[in-house]
Amino acid sequence: MSENTENQQDGRIIQINIEEQMKTAYIDYSMSVIVGRALPDVRDGLKPVHRRVLFGMNELGNNSNKPYKKSARIVGEVMGKFHPHGDASIYDTIVRMAQPWSLRYMLVDGQGNFGSVDGDMPAAMRYTEIRLQRMAEAMLEDIDKETVDFTLNFDDTLEEPTVLPTRIPNLLINGASGIAVGMATNIMPHNLSEVIDGLIAYIDNRDITIEDLIKHVKAPDFPTGGIIYGYEGVKQGFETGRGRVVVRGKVNVETSKAGRERLVIYELPYQINKAALHQKIAQLADDKIIEGISEARDESDRDGMRLVIDLKREAIANVVINQLYKYSELQTSYGINNVALVKGRPRVLNLKDMLAEFVDFRHEVVVRRTRFDLRKAEEKAHILQGYLIALDHLDEVIALIRASRTPDEAKEGLMTRFELSEIQSKAILELRLQRLTGMERDKIKEEYDEVMKLIAYLKDVLSDEGLRFKIIKEELEDVKKRFGDERKTEIQYLASEMRMEDIIAEEDVVITISHLGYIKRTSAYDYRQQKRGGRGALGGKTREEDYIEHLFVASTHHTMLFFTEKGRCYWLKVYEIPEGEKSGKGRAIQNLINLPTDDKIRAIIDIKDLSDKEFISSHYIVLCTANGIIKKTLLEDFSRPRQNGVNAITINEGDQLLEAKLTNGNSQIMMAIKSGRAIRFPENTVRDTGRGAIGVRGIEVDNDKDEVVGMICVNKEDETRTVLVVSEKGFGKRTDIEEYRITNRGGKGVKTINITEKTGSLIAILDVTEKDDLMITCKSGITIRMAVADIREAGRATQGVRLIRLDDSDEIAAVARLDEQEEQRLDEEAQEGMEGNESGQEGSSATLGEAPVDETPAE
C-alpha cells in the first residue's frame, strides 16, 4: 500500500510505503521515549527531567546553604532553558524529590505543603519553596571540571549535561520506575551504607559473586520502612535483574487499660495510600470479611504514623493481622525490573552489573577531573614560573616596561628578553605592585612549590590505576560517613526458603519476656557484670503494671520451645525474635506466635537442633505445675513445629504449668515451694507419657496458701553443681545438693531456706556452678548481672546473703543463669564498667555489704 505526498517546495510527488513510514516513525518515537523520558541512566540513576531540575537549581545557586526559592521560579527556569514540556511534569518531579515517603534519600529540600502519605495534593508551585539537599550537591560536585559531556539544549542556545558526575550511587539507593514503549523499569530503593559496602567489595575483588555481594547489599530498603516478607524473590532480582518482593506493614499489639487488645499499624508498604488503606480496613470489617475488628481510626500526628484497629474481646490478634495481610494492601508485592540505559541503550541489569557500571563511571569521572586539575595546575605553574623570572630580574623588568611606549611593546620586550610566553608576559604586566614586596615574593615561591607537588601527584594518579581506585573508595567512604544511615525495612525470611543459619551470624543473645508478653533479644555484651549487692542497671523499660518475667541466654541459631501456663507448646527460631535496645520494650509475643489472649508463656527451653534424631530420641521434656504435678515426655514428641502449637500437658482446673526442663533421663529432680521447702527424687521414678497426659504428683502442696516456685534437674555425675535459692526480697545462697536427702516422689520435702519477713517468700531455685553468672530482674525493670562465685555456700536452712538491694516496694521477678565464661564476655566496655563498680557503685547508689548468714538449724 502506498500514499502520495506532495512536496510543496519543489512540486515533486514522492511515493512512500505507508507501512515503512509507520514503522520508521514509531521506532523514532519509541526510542525518543526510551532515551529521553522514561528510563534512568545507569550512571547517575536520573531521567532527563530530574537531571535538568537539579542542574537548573545548581545554575541558579539554589544550594542547601542558601535561602529557599519559589518552586515556580525553578519550574520557569528549567522549562525555559532545558525542558520545554509543560510545567506540570517539572513540578511533579520536584514534589516527588522532596517527599520523604517517595524517595529513600531526598534530593530536594522543600518548604511548604508537598502533599501527604494520605494522597493529599501538594500546594501550587507559587506557594512552595525549595532548595537543593546536600546529597544532591554531592551529585553535582565537579560538574565544572569537564568531568561529563555537555550537549546543546532544545534551541541550541545553552548547554546541559548528558549525565551528572555523581558521587552518590543514586540508581540503587533511590530506585526508579517508568513505562516506556515496549518496556518498563521498576528498580527498588536500597540502603546507601549497604550499597557503598557493596561497591567497595566490588572494587576490592572484581570477580566477586552476586552471592557475596548480597552479604553487603542485603535487600531493598524502602523510605516507609515495613517488612520484606520472603527473600527468594529479592535474591532472584539481585541475580537476574527481574524478581518479586513482598512488603508488609509493621503492626504492634497493644493492650488498653480496660484489657482490650488493639492493633497499631505504624509503618506501611512502599507507595501505599494510608487513607485508602484505612477505608479498606473499615470496609473489610463492615462486610464481615474480617470478623475480629470493632473499630479502625487514624491517630497519626507529627510524631509518626498510627493507624489503630480496636479488636473485639474474643479476637486473636495474630489471626486478625494475618487476615489484614491477606485482604488489604498491608501486604503488597512489587515486581523488580532493573532496566536502565547503558551507553544509550536499554539493558536489564543484575546487582553486580549496576555496581560495576557505577564504579566504571566514577573511574571515568576521576580521570577526567584529574586531567582538568592537572591542566589548570600546569597553567598556574606556568604563570608562577614567569613571576619568579620577573622577580629575579625585577629592576630590569621595571626598566623595560618604563621604556616601552605601549603594553604590546612591553609584552614583546619581555617575551624577547626573558624568553617568556605570551601568557606569562601578560600576567607580569597585570601583576599588582604589592606583590613585589619581600614577603609576597616568598609567598609566590611557596605557591609555586605547592603547585609543582600537586602536578606530581596528579601525574601519579593518571599513571596509577590502583591510586585512582583508592581515591574512589575514599570518596565513597566519605559519602557513607556523611549520608549513611540504618536500614528502615526489616527482612523476614520464610522457613521454606533456605537454611537461615547460613545467613544469620551465630552469637549469644539475651532474650527477655515481660509479664504482659513483650519479647526481645539483645546482645549479651550489653549487660555489664557487677559485684554482688550492686544496685543494677535498667534492663527493660516497661509500663507501670509490667515487669520482665523471663530472661535467658541462647544462640541465634537455636530453636526456642515456649510452654504456656495452659500447657501448650509453641516453636520459634531465636533469630526470628525481633532485636531491640537493652532498655526497649520489645514486640508483643502475639505478633510472633498464635498465642490466645488468655494464655501466657511460663517456661522456655533452648534446643540446638530439632532435626538431630539421636538427640531428640534420648532426651526428655520434664514439666511441673504450680500445684506440684510433674510429667515427663520424650523430646521427639515436640520435634515437629506447628503454626498453632501443640498440647504439652493436660492442666487440671485451678492449676497452671510452671516450669519445663530438658533432661537425658538420668537426672535428679528437685522441686521447691514458696514456703521454703524442697524435695529431691530420681527422674526414673517418673515414667514418660504422651503429650496429652496429666502427669503425677511431684511434691505435696497446700493449695490454699502455697505453690511450687521452680524445678531443677541435675545429672548424678555432675558434682560441680550446687543448688541456688533466691527469695523475693533479694536474699539467696548456694547449698550442696547432697544436703537434700533423696526421698519418694510426692512427699513434703525438707527446708531449703529460712523464710522470714525480712527475706520474703522463696521466688526461685536454680542449679549453678562457680563459672556461671546470674541475671536477676526486678518488677521495676532493674537488672543486675553477677558471678555465682561471689555467692558463698551456706547451710540448707540458713537465710543466705543479700544479692541485690531493693526499694521497699520492689521485689525480684525473675532469676536466670548465664553459662558464659568470664573471658568471653569481658570486652573493653564491660571491663571499664566492672572497674567503675569495684566500690560496688552503679550510678549514685552504694553497694550494701554482705548480710550475716543465719546459722539457725532446721527444725
Side-chain angles (χ1 to χ4, degrees):
M1 188 177 178
S2 65
E3 184 79 28
N4 287 346
T5 303
E6 186 170 351
N7 189 315
Q8 297 294 328
Q9 289 181 332
D10 54 14
R12 286 186 302 130
I13 294 173
I14 304 165
Q15 295 284 335
I16 297 173
N17 184 311
I18 194 166
E19 188 179 333
E20 289 298 320
Q21 179 65 24
M22 292 287 287
K23 196 183 287 182
T24 307
Y26 195 70
I27 287 170
D28 288 346
Y29 163 70
S30 63
M31 285 309 296
S32 169
V33 171
I34 288 166
V35 176
R37 191 189 308 172
L39 297 187
D41 193 294
V42 73
R43 297 168 293 178
D44 63 3
L46 297 174
K47 299 176 188 176
V49 64
H50 298 89
R51 194 177 298 119
R52 287 164 176 168
V53 166
L54 296 178
F55 179 66
M57 291 173 75
N58 188 59
E59 289 291 282
L60 264 184
N62 193 14
N63 300 97
S64 61
N65 57 351
K66 304 276 179 63
Y68 292 91
K69 282 184 167 66
K70 283 285 183 190
S71 301
R73 184 173 174 193
I74 307 299
V75 170
E77 177 84 6
V78 173
M79 184 166 61
K81 288 184 175 178
F82 310 114
H83 197 76
H85 300 291
D87 57 7
S89 65
I90 299 169
Y91 187 52
D92 287 348
T93 299
I94 289 171
V95 165
R96 189 169 176 276
M97 288 197 291
Q99 290 176 333
W101 61 90
S102 291
L103 254 64
R104 180 64 180 82
Y105 298 91
M106 293 182 293
L107 301 177
V108 170
D109 179 8
Q111 185 169 261
N113 172 16
F114 282 86
S116 76
V117 77
D118 286 325
D120 298 321
M121 294 296 290
M125 68 179 86
R126 62 183 177 273
Y127 298 117
T128 58
E129 296 179 338
I130 56 171
R131 63 185 178 188
L132 287 169
Q133 288 273 11
R134 284 172 57 241
M135 184 173 276
E137 290 174 352
M139 295 182 71
L140 289 150
E141 223 166 298
D142 301 326
I143 198 164
D144 54 351
K145 292 189 175 182
E146 298 175 5
T147 48
V148 292
D149 293 331
F150 278 71
T151 185
L152 291 169
N153 70 339
F154 62 92
D155 61 0
D156 293 355
T157 57
L158 296 164
E159 286 194 330
E160 61 174 311
T162 55
V163 67
L164 298 186
T166 176
R167 295 182 179 206
I168 311 290
N170 185 61
L171 182 69
L172 266 168
I173 66 165
N174 274 327
S177 64
I179 300 169
V181 177
M183 64 182 67
T185 185
N186 204 32
I187 302 169
M188 299 291 113
H190 293 76
N191 183 271
L192 176 65
S193 300
E194 290 181 3
V195 171
I196 286 177
D197 288 343
L199 287 165
I200 290 171
Y202 171 76
I203 290 169
D204 290 339
N205 175 19
R206 301 302 173 80
D207 298 323
I208 191 169
T209 62
I210 291 174
E211 199 170 317
D212 287 333
L213 283 172
I214 290 173
K215 292 173 184 174
H216 301 284
V217 188
K218 297 179 179 69
D221 188 27
F222 299 101
T224 50
I227 299 166
I228 289 172
Y229 182 67
Y231 198 72
E232 200 53 50
V234 173
K235 193 178 177 196
Q236 194 178 357
F238 280 148
E239 289 174 345
T240 66
R242 298 190 194 276
R244 195 155 202 81
V245 54
V246 177
V247 183
R248 290 178 160 187
K250 284 187 185 173
V251 189
N252 257 345
V253 181
E254 291 184 0
T255 307
S256 68
K257 288 181 180 176
R260 296 279 291 275
E261 285 194 326
R262 57 177 172 237
L263 307 180
V264 178
I265 301 168
Y266 60 98
E267 284 182 13
L268 293 181
Y270 186 43
Q271 292 174 331
I272 293 302
N273 184 312
K274 175 161 64 70
L277 177 66
H278 182 197
Q279 196 175 352
K280 174 76 172 177
I281 292 169
Q283 190 67 48
L284 289 169
D286 290 344
D287 295 345
K288 303 284 190 246
I289 294 171
I290 300 179
E291 295 279 359
I293 296 174
S294 64
E295 186 193 359
R297 62 187 178 278
D298 190 354
E299 294 182 0
S300 304
D301 56 19
R302 65 179 60 190
D303 295 326
M305 185 181 296
R306 189 177 163 85
L307 198 57
V308 180
I309 300 164
D310 288 331
L311 300 183
K312 293 177 180 174
R313 201 170 285 281
E314 69 278 3
I316 297 172
N318 219 37
V319 171
V320 176
I321 290 169
N322 287 330
Q323 287 177 319
L324 286 171
Y325 287 145
K326 182 177 180 181
Y327 296 115
S328 77
E329 288 77 27
L330 195 60
Q331 176 174 306
T332 309
S333 66
Y334 303 91
I336 299 171
N337 187 21
N338 297 336
V339 179
L341 295 173
V342 181
K343 296 181 174 63
R345 291 174 176 270
R347 210 177 109 197
V348 179
L349 303 155
N350 61 32
L351 175 63
K352 187 175 178 180
D353 293 336
M354 288 192 279
L355 295 177
E357 289 293 340
F358 182 76
V359 169
D360 290 347
F361 174 59
R362 278 308 298 164
H363 183 258
E364 183 192 339
V365 167
V366 168
V367 169
R368 290 179 68 161
R369 181 183 69 198
T370 308
R371 283 182 185 148
F372 177 85
D373 288 341
L374 179 60
R375 193 178 81 237
K376 290 295 180 186
E378 285 175 339
E379 287 171 3
K380 190 171 184 181
H382 184 61
I383 290 169
L384 289 171
Q385 201 173 20
Y387 284 169
L388 291 172
I389 291 170
L391 290 170
D392 287 342
H393 305 86
L394 188 56
D395 293 339
E396 200 175 338
V397 167
I398 292 169
L400 192 151
I401 293 170
R402 286 186 67 186
S404 303
R405 284 186 300 128
T406 64
D408 284 343
E409 189 181 319
K411 183 178 70 174
E412 291 295 332
L414 288 170
M415 290 168 65
T416 307
R417 173 70 188 84
F418 300 108
E419 296 181 355
L420 299 172
S421 69
E422 187 175 350
I423 293 167
Q424 288 173 324
S425 298
K426 272 186 180 177
I428 289 166
L429 289 172
E430 290 166 6
L431 195 64
R432 295 174 67 185
L433 289 174
Q434 74 172 38
R435 301 215 73 179
L436 304 180
T437 62
M439 192 178 290
E440 287 293 323
R441 290 172 71 179
D442 292 342
K443 279 186 182 175
I444 290 169
K445 183 74 177 79
E446 282 174 25
E447 194 177 351
Y448 177 75
D449 292 342
E450 288 297 320
V451 171
M452 291 312 292
K453 281 182 194 170
L454 176 62
I455 288 169
Y457 169 72
L458 294 172
K459 284 181 176 176
D460 285 347
V461 170
L462 288 173
S463 63
D464 185 350
E465 188 180 67
L467 185 54
R468 294 198 292 274
F469 280 109
K470 185 184 174 193
I471 291 168
I472 293 168
K473 279 169 65 175
E474 285 170 357
E475 288 177 354
L476 287 171
E477 282 163 357
D478 177 61
V479 165
K480 180 181 174 181
K481 187 178 174 183
R482 285 162 63 194
F483 305 113
D485 59 3
E486 295 296 318
R487 279 192 72 84
K488 289 188 176 183
T489 305
E490 284 182 25
I491 304 166
Q492 199 174 97
Y493 301 93
L494 301 182
S496 60
E497 287 180 335
M498 60 183 83
R499 250 182 69 85
M500 290 317 306
E501 287 81 355
D502 297 336
I503 292 176
I504 305 296
E506 183 162 14
E507 62 169 334
D508 281 348
V509 289
V510 175
I511 296 167
T512 59
I513 303 176
S514 77
H515 179 67
L516 289 181
Y518 288 93
I519 187 170
K520 72 173 190 292
R521 64 180 164 96
T522 317
S523 173
Y525 299 113
D526 284 352
Y527 289 87
R528 294 205 309 264
Q529 190 190 51
Q530 288 178 266
K531 292 299 185 185
R532 177 184 56 73
R535 180 68 176 178
L538 197 61
K541 284 183 183 170
T542 54
R543 287 155 43 185
E544 283 181 20
E545 65 272 25
D546 200 7
Y547 54 88
I548 291 169
E549 195 164 65
H550 301 282
L551 190 148
F552 53 92
V553 173
S555 164
T556 46
H557 285 196
H558 292 187
T559 303
M560 307 310 304
L561 270 58
F562 294 90
F563 294 87
T564 72
E565 64 181 26
K566 290 196 170 182
R568 290 192 65 77
C569 173
Y570 297 87
W571 294 262
L572 201 60
K573 286 281 190 183
V574 171
Y575 60 74
E576 292 175 331
I577 298 169
E579 196 166 2
E581 294 293 325
K582 180 183 163 189
S583 57
K585 184 174 70 171
R587 181 89 64 87
I589 204 161
Q590 291 97 324
N591 290 7
L592 306 174
I593 55 178
N594 293 330
L595 188 68
T597 53
D598 59 346
D599 204 357
K600 64 176 292 188
I601 303 298
R602 296 299 284 175
I604 304 105
I605 288 180
D606 172 20
I607 303 292
K608 185 175 181 181
D609 186 3
L610 276 177
S611 60
D612 184 341
K613 297 289 183 191
E614 188 180 336
F615 183 83
I616 62 174
S617 59
S618 61
H619 285 75
Y620 299 87
I621 300 287
V622 177
L623 306 166
C624 85
T625 73
N627 286 351
I629 300 296
I630 190 162
K631 174 175 181 279
K632 185 171 79 169
T633 304
L634 199 63
L635 178 59
E636 190 173 12
D637 287 6
F638 296 97
S639 63
R640 290 170 289 279
R642 293 187 198 166
Q643 183 87 23
N644 294 317
V646 295
N647 229 28
I649 182 173
T650 300
I651 299 290
N652 292 324
E653 191 175 344
D655 197 5
Q656 63 181 34
L657 181 70
L658 184 76
E659 191 62 90
K661 297 289 183 188
L662 181 70
T663 73
N664 61 4
N666 300 312
S667 298
Q668 299 284 322
I669 294 176
M670 283 188 67
M671 298 171 73
I673 57 177
K674 200 173 178 181
S675 57
R677 287 188 288 116
I679 192 170
R680 175 188 175 200
F681 55 86
E683 182 186 339
N684 56 24
T685 61
V686 184
R687 66 182 180 87
D688 62 292
T689 54
R691 282 191 288 102
I694 295 174
V696 294
R697 183 167 297 285
I699 188 170
E700 188 178 313
V701 178
D702 184 346
N703 289 332
D704 294 337
K705 58 183 179 182
D706 216 348
E707 62 181 20
V708 176
V709 295
M711 170 186 72
I712 60 174
C713 302
V714 183
N715 291 334
K716 296 176 196 171
E717 58 273 11
D718 192 350
E719 297 175 357
T720 62
R721 293 205 169 270
T722 52
V723 177
L724 174 78
V725 287
V726 181
S727 72
E728 283 178 330
K729 296 294 184 184
F731 285 80
K733 64 182 174 67
R734 290 190 294 139
T735 308
D736 193 285
I737 195 167
E738 292 304 323
E739 288 203 28
Y740 299 87
R741 68 179 186 273
I742 294 177
T743 61
N744 290 330
R745 173 181 55 77
K748 285 192 172 184
V750 296
K751 183 177 275 196
T752 183
I753 188 171
N754 194 27
I755 295 297
T756 65
E757 192 176 332
K758 181 181 174 183
T759 62
S761 301
L762 188 63
I763 187 75
I765 181 170
L766 297 96
D767 56 306
V768 295
T769 72
E770 290 203 348
K771 290 183 178 178
D772 292 340
D773 272 11
L774 281 188
M775 195 84 86
I776 301 175
T777 308
C778 304
K779 291 185 178 180
S780 61
I782 294 290
T783 303
I784 188 169
R785 180 175 178 167
M786 67 176 68
V788 166
D790 284 352
I791 306 166
R792 76 175 188 225
E793 290 191 34
R796 178 169 54 77
T798 58
Q799 75 172 17
V801 297
R802 192 184 293 276
L803 304 182
I804 182 171
R805 194 182 74 178
L806 299 173
D807 294 332
D808 292 341
S809 58
D810 203 4
E811 290 181 350
I812 288 179
V815 184
R817 185 187 74 227
L818 308 185
D819 294 324
E820 294 293 293
Q821 293 297 317
E822 187 78 18
E823 61 271 17
Q824 288 179 303
R825 60 175 182 268
L826 284 182
D827 57 358
E828 188 176 341
E829 181 190 353
Q831 187 70 54
E832 287 171 9
M834 200 178 83
E835 286 166 5
N837 283 306
E838 283 298 322
S839 58
Q841 291 183 339
E842 177 70 20
S844 59
S845 305
T847 301
L848 293 178
E850 184 175 301
V853 178
D854 181 358
E855 300 291 357
T856 310
E859 290 178 6

